[in-house]
Amino acid sequence: MARSMLLLACAFVILASSSLASAAIVEHTFHVKNLTIGRLCRQQVITAVNGSLPGPTIRVKEGDTLIVHVFNKSPYNLTIHWHGIFQLLSGWADGPNMITQCPIRPGTSYTYKFKIINQEGTLWWHAHVSWLRATVYGALIIRPREGHKYPFPKPDKEVPILLGEWWNANVIDVANQATISGGGPNVSDAYTINGRPGDLYPCSQNKTYKLTVEQGKTYLLRIINAALNNQLFYKIANHKMTVVAVDASYTNPYVTDVVVIAPGQTVDVLLKADQRLLPIMPILPNFNDTPTAHKFYSNLTGLVNGPQWVPVPRDVDEHMFVTVGLGLDRCAANATCQGPNGQRFSASMNNHSFQFPTSLSILQAFFFNVGGVYTPDFPNNPPIKFDYTNQNNSNNASLLFAPKSTSVKKLKFNSTVQMILQNTALLALENHPMHLHGFDFHVLAQGFGNYNPKTDSKKFNFVNPQRRNTIAVPVGGWAVIRFRANNPGVWIMHCHLDVHLPWGLATAFVVENGPTPSTRLPPPPADLPQC
């Protein structure tokens, strides 16, 4: 009997060791400093990681622990956000400036450490201070853990495709000038693929990114929109693509000749090189082709019972109707502002224009119970109801001026939140890519005009909706998302157009701790940067 018990105990040890062996510690070091780089017939100083644009690609497997040592050798304050990572019980590593941490000052360092839990696919990392993410960004690829496979045929090769923007200027100066003037920032001088402008730009013909493929082979393209301010269309001449994942969530295969991708989003596609390879340009949609964009977004569905699939939570605890859009802030006395009507551009959610704290991060204030940093009064509904998408209201002064505040929404642990995100027509009709930190959400429905609860609620997809961390709220339209707040901490939700974030198009969720030690946020690491 004793011998049998000993053998049984050994078997349990072996099984446990086998499970642990499938996870690894992946470690990187980021040296962030100035780099002189040639683009568009000139030399430009940029801020970059490890001397490259884009920065290094991080490759991990589900279950791994990622450690990244960041040494800030640049002249600017810096944080790094791991875009789309859940950060389960590791909210201190999420990275948004003054939300979960104070910035890494020039000449100092900070180590990010977190575990990759229940996620597979393509995500990315980027700076989260001012406009530094124009050049401080890179891919973060999560493969299935050992013994697990993709839910689609294994490709012959995987290729990150990072779409970005380029300025013939210091991007911090561009952002600062817009802040000073109160107007819109200068638009970029070029779009880039993997850091390189296309061959139609000056001095770029021999510096375009090129991917050599073999006829008949299949390639997994991991497409990331790292651009600051533009939704983009992506095509390959004479080829179809099969979408298999978005925002690191698997989808039912969707065949298309065009991919639509908003800032912050990722799309994984399978490309079979099955055509005669000629260097010809694809015919792209117009930059404002809303019907093409809506067709793409609304045809994506989640892969039910695929890896990491999560069913839609059915019982809702918090119902939120949130308006998102532009507005104005009053120009200071004796100043000249270049926004509409001589005022400053602003933006808001539910008539609250978000203002970042300066003395302490919101997460520190929450964890240490420090008052005066934020107010838990973000409303579930807009204070004024109006015809949200009627362009006759575009310059209605009574609707344009939202007060500045650090207003957040408190959520009970494990509560389910449904948000109706309603775009407005104030000042302009725009697409707003809204990114939620710390969670994925199900996209139940999306459409145009003002959301109608009687008719539009009948369109909800509870069976196989797509899961995302960034939703492109349609131009002059709405989107309905739902998520479970099962991760304690502070999680910002903001527009991923960098022109809109400093204007105030954001709020934050403060998710309370759970009832057990395993559902409570641990203390901050000893080297957490201080303000």
Side-chain angles (χ1 to χ4, degrees):
M1 179 66 179
R3 176 180 171 83
S4 298
M5 290 298 293
L6 178 62
L7 290 173
L8 185 61
C10 289
F12 276 122
V13 170
I14 292 169
L15 287 172
S17 299
S18 176
S19 176
L20 292 173
S22 65
I25 295 176
V26 179
E27 199 161 358
H28 285 260
T29 299
F30 282 7
H31 295 280
V32 187
K33 57 185 178 180
N34 283 353
L35 172 70
T36 301
I37 191 169
R39 295 288 187 273
L40 307 184
C41 309
R42 58 179 289 167
Q43 297 293 303
Q44 179 66 48
V45 177
I46 66 170
T47 304
V49 176
N50 295 355
S52 67
L53 176 70
T57 295
I58 293 177
R59 292 178 172 86
V60 293
K61 294 180 179 178
E62 193 274 323
D64 287 352
T65 296
L66 179 60
I67 300 174
V68 183
H69 309 282
V70 178
F71 292 86
N72 186 6
K73 302 174 183 179
S74 81
Y76 308 109
N77 289 342
L78 176 76
T79 66
I80 302 291
H81 169 52
W82 314 94
H83 186 111
I85 293 291
F86 294 153
Q87 299 292 359
L88 288 169
L89 299 181
S90 57
W92 301 104
D94 191 41
N97 184 39
M98 302 311 298
I99 303 297
T100 62
Q101 68 169 97
C102 300
I104 307 169
R105 306 289 183 185
T108 66
S109 64
Y110 177 53
T111 296
Y112 293 91
K113 180 179 180 180
F114 51 90
K115 191 171 182 179
I116 313 295
I117 302 174
N118 298 331
Q119 292 186 274
E120 298 176 17
T122 303
L123 296 174
W124 62 301
W125 57 264
H126 60 80
H128 214 289
V129 175
S130 186
W131 277 28
L132 281 180
R133 78 172 177 92
T135 54
V136 178
Y137 65 88
L140 200 171
I141 296 171
I142 308 170
R143 293 192 175 93
R145 65 171 63 207
E146 291 293 337
H148 294 244
K149 298 179 180 180
Y150 295 134
F152 49 79
K154 184 179 180 181
D156 296 291
K157 187 176 181 180
E158 301 182 15
V159 184
I161 302 290
L162 292 96
L163 311 177
E165 291 181 86
W166 176 266
W167 277 261
N168 281 333
N170 181 307
V171 292
I172 300 297
D173 292 343
V174 173
N176 289 342
Q177 180 58 39
T179 300
I180 293 169
S181 71
N186 293 337
V187 298
S188 59
D189 295 287
Y191 295 109
T192 60
I193 298 178
N194 288 348
R196 297 175 176 272
D199 62 3
L200 299 182
Y201 290 108
C203 302
S204 302
Q205 190 168 7
N206 296 324
K207 298 180 181 179
T208 302
Y209 173 75
K210 297 179 178 66
L211 172 65
T212 301
V213 299
E214 293 184 40
Q215 192 165 13
K217 290 195 172 181
T218 300
Y219 298 81
L220 175 61
L221 305 184
R222 299 180 177 271
I223 308 169
I224 299 167
N225 188 348
L228 267 64
N229 296 315
N230 289 279
Q231 180 171 272
L232 299 171
F233 294 100
Y234 181 89
K235 294 187 74 172
I236 300 172
N238 293 342
H239 283 77
K240 298 278 190 180
M241 295 169 281
T242 302
V243 178
V244 293
V246 294
D247 290 3
S249 292
Y250 293 115
T251 64
N252 286 307
Y254 174 60
V255 179
T256 178
D257 68 340
V258 60
V259 165
V260 188
I261 184 167
Q265 292 184 332
T266 71
V267 179
D268 289 0
V269 301
L270 293 176
L271 169 73
K272 187 169 185 180
D274 57 2
Q275 301 294 314
R276 184 184 296 272
L277 302 182
L278 297 168
I280 59 175
M281 288 287 291
I283 300 174
L284 287 164
N286 291 329
F287 77 96
N288 59 351
D289 189 339
T290 299
T292 294
H294 183 67
K295 178 183 176 183
F296 178 84
Y297 286 132
S298 60
N299 274 284
L300 298 174
T301 53
L303 186 63
V304 176
N305 298 324
Q308 317 307 337
W309 169 254
V310 175
V312 182
R314 300 306 294 262
D315 296 323
V316 177
D317 303 295
E318 293 278 358
H319 288 270
M320 302 181 70
F321 184 95
V322 180
T323 56
V324 294
L326 300 182
L328 296 176
D329 191 19
R330 300 200 182 278
C331 190
N334 303 319
T336 301
C337 296
Q338 297 177 6
N341 306 322
Q343 306 293 343
R344 303 178 62 84
F345 267 116
S346 185
S348 66
M349 299 174 66
N350 273 359
N351 204 48
H352 283 63
S353 186
F354 190 81
Q355 191 166 33
F356 286 82
T358 57
S359 60
L360 198 68
S361 75
I362 297 178
L363 184 57
Q364 288 171 299
F366 162 68
F367 188 87
F368 294 109
N369 197 27
V370 177
V373 176
Y374 64 88
T375 56
D377 58 353
F378 185 83
N380 280 354
N381 295 282
I384 301 174
K385 293 183 179 180
F386 60 98
D387 191 356
Y388 306 112
T389 55
N390 188 337
Q391 289 187 277
N392 290 331
N393 281 324
S394 180
N395 285 294
N396 187 334
S398 66
L399 301 172
L400 290 174
F401 294 88
K404 297 285 184 181
S405 64
T406 310
S407 178
V408 308
K409 171 69 178 176
K410 291 190 73 173
L411 297 174
K412 295 290 186 183
F413 177 79
N414 218 32
S415 60
T416 296
V417 183
Q418 179 173 292
M419 297 183 72
I420 299 165
L421 295 165
Q422 174 68 62
N423 244 326
T424 70
L426 299 179
L427 296 184
L429 284 171
E430 290 192 323
N431 177 295
H432 292 294
M434 301 302 297
H435 170 50
L436 176 61
H437 290 222
F439 305 96
D440 277 355
F441 47 75
H442 293 93
V443 181
L444 300 185
Q446 48 196 315
F448 296 98
N450 297 333
Y451 175 80
N452 185 321
K454 291 184 179 180
T455 58
D456 292 331
S457 61
K458 298 177 182 178
K459 304 172 185 175
F460 286 6
N461 180 359
F462 292 113
V463 178
N464 61 352
Q466 59 184 290
R467 293 180 70 207
R468 282 196 174 272
N469 60 58
T470 305
I471 175 70
V473 183
V475 172
W478 51 268
V480 183
I481 66 173
R482 188 179 290 187
F483 68 95
R484 176 163 286 145
N486 57 2
N487 192 11
V490 176
W491 311 102
I492 188 172
M493 185 179 200
H494 64 93
C495 182
H496 220 269
L497 301 178
D498 267 28
V499 65
H500 292 165
L501 180 56
W503 291 350
L505 195 52
T507 188
F509 293 100
V510 175
V511 180
E512 296 176 351
N513 280 306
T516 64
S518 63
T519 57
R520 302 180 68 85
L521 183 70
D527 65 338
L528 185 75
Q530 301 299 309
C531 291

